Amino acid sequence: MTQQPTLTTDRLVLEPFGDAHVPALARADMDARVMRYIRAPSPDYESAKARICQILMRDDGVLGVWGVRLRDTAQVIGLGILRPLPDDSDIEVGYRLLVPHWGKGYATEIAKCLTNYGFGTLNLTSIVATFDAENDASRHVLTKCGLRDDGMTTAYHSAGTPLVRLNVENWSNDVAGPSMTATAVKNS
């Protein structure tokens, strides 16, 4: 099993998602503000925890889900993803933050870090993202990261959701954002 590395930016640490991240993300999973564009929030902590463990804690090798911490305090503030869409058609970048950390540029930093990793380390040729058509904040983050409209996808919903894409030939360090280092994580 190849495990994804720990990644760092100027302000964040992205580490392979694990048990230490579950409590914060379970609270986010119950928050209607966080879940507004994703799905109905979980009704209680145990339901949220079970759902998170089922969805987020699978082995995706060098891809997957990262728990995101602030570098200066080690506080868990959210997650980042770089993993296949449910239909395996593309590799998707994504993020989710707890409400107190909205509006501080962290979503952009997470997406840029994972895009760097995908193109610079994994040699991916394309990275996509999906978002709810009404979620202007997420659309803005993805645009800042260089992703551009690429139609719709039914990977999550049969009615379709907007799809944006960045191809490696359009990716550059100008778009790449904050400094990022990858540190290999040893398997126990």
Side-chain angles (χ1 to χ4, degrees), residues 49-168:
K49 181 178 171 184
R51 184 171 185 84
I52 286 168
C53 291
Q54 175 190 18
I55 294 172
L56 300 180
M57 295 180 78
R58 72 175 197 228
D59 181 13
D60 287 314
V62 295
L63 297 173
V65 179
W66 282 259
V68 178
R69 295 180 183 272
L70 295 174
R71 280 183 78 167
D72 60 352
T73 66
Q75 178 185 12
V76 175
I77 65 164
L79 63 82
I81 68 163
L82 188 66
R83 67 177 0 173
L85 285 170
D87 64 3
D88 290 323
S89 60
D90 285 294
I91 303 298
E92 176 183 30
V93 66
Y95 43 82
R96 188 177 308 166
L97 292 169
L98 284 77
V99 174
H101 305 287
W102 289 4
K104 298 178 181 180
Y106 295 137
T108 303
E109 199 165 326
I110 292 165
K112 287 180 179 182
C113 177
L114 291 173
T115 301
N116 272 351
Y117 172 64
F119 289 136
T121 302
L122 300 180
N123 299 314
L124 298 176
T125 58
S126 178
I127 295 174
V128 302
T130 64
F131 60 94
D132 187 286
E134 295 178 13
N135 190 345
D136 293 332
S138 197
R139 181 181 197 57
H140 180 69
V141 165
L142 297 167
T143 299
K144 285 191 332 188
C145 294
L147 288 95
R148 300 293 179 250
D149 289 334
D150 194 41
M152 301 284 279
T153 180
T154 57
Y156 287 105
H157 308 289
S158 60
T161 53
L163 182 75
V164 289
R165 178 181 305 275
L166 179 60
N167 294 318
V168 68

Side-chain angles (χ1 to χ4, degrees), residues 3-8 13-16 66 180-185:
Q3 190 175 17
Q4 68 224 54
T6 294
L7 307 171
T8 58
V13 175
L14 286 72
E15 56 197 10
W66 282 259
M180 188 266 314
T181 57
T183 307
V185 176

